[in-house]
Amino acid sequence: MKLDWAGVRGISRAADLPQTYNAVDILERNLPARAHEPALLSLERSCTFGEIGAEVNRVANALQRFGLHRADVVAILAPDSVEWVSAFFGTIKAGGVALGMNTLLTPQDHLRQLGDSQARFLIASATLLEPLRALLGACETLAHVVVLGADVHAGELAFARWIADEPVSCAAAPTRRDDPCTLNYSSGTTGEPKGILHAHKDLPLCAELWGVNVLGLRAEDRTFSAARLFFTFGTGGGLVFSWYVGASAVLMSQSPRVVTNVLEAVQRFRPTILYNAPTGYAMALALPDLCTRHDLSSLRLCVSAGESLPAALWHAWKQRTGLDILDGIGSTENWHIFLSNRPGDIRPGSSGKPFDGYELELVDDEGRELHEPGVVGNLWVKGETAARSYLRRPEQSAHTFRGEWLVTGDKYARDADGYYWHAGRSDDMLKVGGIWVSPVEVEGALMAHEAVLECAVVGSLDEAGLVKPKAFVVRKPGRALGHDLAAELIAHCRARMAEYKRPRWIEFVDELPKTATGKIQRFRLRG
Ligand code: 3UK
């Protein structure tokens, strides 16, 4: 079947896309004119659009041969790499739903996502699969495990061999533009992950509405996202938007939390656009030899999202590197950025202004719209790229998805010039290094320590003005404050959760502030 999506450009609404639309178009629109041009660059492997197009076809064929049905979930658990990308677009082309899993989480977290999503395939790097393997028996829906790397156990498939004999051509599944395409898990207030499904249409729409219209991406650009591909901030900025306009993308398998990895990748592959969370910029600024040791001259613009970028950090980056950082707020619920600064129109410290494709409202707690400048309200957003609900979470869905409007959970004030200023969250959730941390989950880990009677976790600012978890702890009676109890508690958390969730500071207190009904008042501990 010949499909006629053919690289539509200039869309501003979902209806501008054909009814039958498969988001593999984002890759394949480059095949007629750019097959021999670079699509992906990385230390391990680089490839042209033609080469990745062929690999995507092999993956799509292999998935279909192994029984993938429309809308089946394929979980991907691997560092950013060419194979991550071919698994992602191979799944989409075959009509499946690609679930990029956060590689920093624990094997128990991964198991929970596999179970909740009812994933049928898992494509995982040997290293990340190793600690998860023994748990997979509990995952009833999982039919096939495909391993990236050499350490392949009985019953598993080796990725390279699995796709080797597949034909290099493949017809895309004739999905509808509203059919599910990607799935991501986002942490909720209770620490329970919520699945967020997006449709095929959301990828090109986000690419056009923000990537083209706001950021001004063009084919000559080369992008590099320190935010990982499993995070929609990274999938969009570091892959989808780039290919949408014909630009190449740099991938890095090493951890971006080691800031020299990021800077060395910039120097080696010379991207023009860098995406990072505020922490990434703060870590780079902490290096005294940032600009003498690292060549950042290829960059024309930087982007920040995940949490708000303090004005002081913006100015320090500008002063040291000469580069602007574009701060925009996005969410997994909207797939990407829905309120943003623009090149040439940046108000440091703010999230910028609305742009075409999204309507914003600030409302009070009764849902009444606020018009006065400077008044803090709850931010609601309406746009076509919003997910429709959380997967099998009716109560949380009802709270967040209100008809066409989406309740972001963020507090904002709009100034007289129309710029939006982030004023915290309306729940207790923390953004740490751009990734969610639920205080409830960290408190749960602390409570499992024998010295802890009660505790509360809140956000506290570090020296760069960025939020990190801080725990207030009431010790059990008779439990002395050994000189290293704080360090012991932090190590205890580290062993039980993704490392970034651990408290950075512990303060021992005699009691915690509580409501009359005994509920801990975290907001009274923030500082
Ligand atoms: C917070 C920000 C202030 C805010 C994301 C860009 O972060 C992303 O998605 P998540 O679902 O979290 C969404 C929440 O994070 N936030 C994000 N960006 C900013 N707060 N200034 C910012 N610039 O609380 C929001 O509700 O993890 C960001 C693109 C794609 C994304 N998924």
Side-chain angles (χ1 to χ4, degrees):
M1 179 177 181
K2 179 89 187 88
L3 301 171
D4 60 350
W5 51 69
V8 191
R9 278 290 296 273
I11 53 172
S12 57
R13 304 171 303 138
D16 295 336
L17 289 164
Q19 276 281 3
T20 302
Y21 178 83
N22 185 307
V24 77
D25 156 53
I26 305 263
L27 158 64
E28 297 189 345
R29 59 176 55 212
N30 293 294
L31 296 179
R34 265 187 280 273
H36 301 293
E37 289 184 26
L40 296 173
L41 299 102
S42 77
L43 272 182
E44 296 81 14
R45 229 183 119 187
S46 296
C47 56
T48 62
F49 284 106
E51 288 162 348
I52 189 71
E55 185 162 317
V56 162
N57 286 347
R58 287 200 162 105
V59 173
N61 284 326
L63 285 168
Q64 285 177 332
R65 192 159 60 85
F66 277 73
L68 179 105
H69 293 117
R70 206 66 87 69
D72 277 353
V73 172
V74 178
I76 306 168
L77 178 62
D80 287 9
S81 56
V82 173
E83 292 78 14
W84 195 103
V85 174
S86 59
F88 179 79
F89 275 113
T91 299
I92 291 173
K93 185 161 189 181
V97 173
L99 160 60
M101 290 208 285
N102 180 341
T103 55
L104 304 172
L105 298 177
T106 64
Q108 284 75 18
D109 294 325
H110 293 140
L111 184 68
R112 226 161 20 151
Q113 292 186 13
L114 290 170
D116 189 72
S117 66
Q118 304 184 347
R120 290 212 55 220
F121 288 78
L122 168 63
I123 302 181
S125 73
T127 315
L128 287 159
L129 179 61
E130 216 273 309
L132 175 61
R133 190 174 269 127
L135 308 175
L136 288 179
C139 197
E140 285 167 11
T141 54
L142 196 62
H144 301 287
V145 176
V146 184
V147 187
L148 300 167
D151 185 17
V152 182
H153 288 211
E156 298 169 355
L157 302 154
F159 182 81
R161 232 174 311 131
W162 183 55
I163 64 168
D165 297 327
E166 293 294 338
V168 291
S169 63
C170 166
T175 47
R176 314 274 285 185
R177 65 186 180 221
D178 290 309
D179 282 347
C181 171
T182 63
L183 176 62
N184 294 85
Y185 277 85
S186 186
S187 179
T189 38
T190 57
E192 276 290 304
K194 302 169 294 189
I196 302 177
L197 268 178
H198 277 280
H200 287 264
K201 72 177 195 329
D202 298 337
L203 280 60
L205 265 177
C206 286
E208 185 86 34
L209 295 176
W210 183 81
V212 174
N213 296 349
V214 177
L215 182 64
L217 266 182
R218 31 192 198 246
E220 305 73 50
D221 276 314
R222 173 171 291 175
T223 61
F224 173 41
S225 176
R228 309 285 72 196
L229 288 171
F230 60 70
F231 187 26
T232 61
F233 179 34
T235 338
L239 177 65
V240 168
F241 303 169
S242 329
W243 284 4
Y244 184 79
V245 300
S248 56
V250 176
L251 302 176
M252 180 182 80
S253 63
Q254 300 110 300
S255 170
R257 284 168 303 156
V258 178
V259 66
T260 48
N261 288 343
V262 174
L263 299 170
E264 280 161 21
V266 171
Q267 180 158 337
R268 178 183 294 257
F269 295 108
R270 304 196 57 77
T272 58
I273 312 266
L274 173 66
Y275 296 86
N276 215 337
T279 328
Y281 296 108
M283 287 192 301
L285 285 170
L287 299 175
D289 56 357
L290 170 63
C291 292
T292 48
R293 176 114 182 259
H294 300 278
D295 177 8
L296 306 180
S297 62
S298 62
L299 294 172
R300 69 174 179 93
L301 199 54
C302 299
V303 178
S304 174
E307 60 185 308
S308 62
L309 179 76
L313 201 49
W314 191 95
H315 288 292
W317 186 257
K318 176 79 175 174
Q319 200 196 352
R320 290 276 292 282
T321 67
L323 290 161
D324 285 350
I325 307 180
L326 217 61
D327 186 8
I329 173 174
S331 68
T332 312
E333 285 82 348
N334 278 307
W335 210 69
H336 216 268
I337 291 176
F338 55 86
L339 165 64
S340 178
N341 284 283
R342 278 152 230 265
D345 180 12
I346 295 176
R347 198 58 65 101
S350 85
S351 304
K353 288 181 175 173
F355 56 88
D356 275 354
Y358 299 95
E359 267 180 67
L360 302 181
E361 258 182 21
L362 291 179
V363 301
D364 66 15
D365 289 340
E366 277 68 54
R368 280 185 300 255
E369 209 179 330
L370 300 166
H371 295 286
E372 285 289 291
V375 177
V376 173
N378 303 304
L379 182 69
W380 291 28
V381 52
K382 181 166 120 184
E384 283 190 312
T385 68
R388 289 284 143 246
S389 67
Y390 296 121
L391 208 59
R392 291 190 284 282
R393 296 262 186 283
E395 275 174 36
Q396 285 159 309
S397 300
H399 172 77
T400 301
F401 301 93
R402 315 251 179 120
E404 291 182 295
W405 290 92
L406 195 150
V407 177
T408 64
D410 293 292
K411 299 267 184 198
Y412 264 90
R414 185 176 42 225
D415 67 20
D417 299 327
Y419 295 88
Y420 282 67
W421 297 79
H422 193 244
R425 296 271 317 162
S426 54
D427 51 27
D428 291 318
M429 292 295 285
L430 311 177
K431 267 309 189 89
V432 178
I435 327 183
W436 286 125
V437 173
S438 156
V440 177
E441 186 185 357
V442 185
E443 289 161 6
L446 282 167
M447 291 299 286
H449 190 280
E450 45 85 23
V452 178
L453 178 67
E454 273 188 325
C455 63
V457 170
V458 298
S460 186
L461 298 184
D462 68 8
E463 58 288 350
L466 301 171
V467 170
K468 299 284 179 296
K470 171 174 180 175
F472 290 84
V473 171
V474 181
R475 278 164 292 139
K476 284 202 179 136
R479 178 67 208 217
L481 185 62
H483 69 283
D484 55 359
L485 182 58
E488 189 180 318
L489 291 177
I490 292 171
H492 169 90
C493 289
R494 226 190 193 132
R496 276 162 185 75
M497 297 176 301
E499 200 180 357
Y500 62 86
K501 298 177 182 173
R502 74 191 186 281
R504 309 302 197 272
W505 311 273
I506 306 262
E507 187 170 327
F508 294 101
V509 290
D510 293 332
E511 57 181 345
L512 296 171
K514 296 207 180 124
T515 61
T517 55
K519 208 166 169 278
I520 294 172
Q521 295 170 303
R522 291 195 194 85
F523 70 92
R524 291 183 54 193
L525 295 165
R526 279 182 211 143

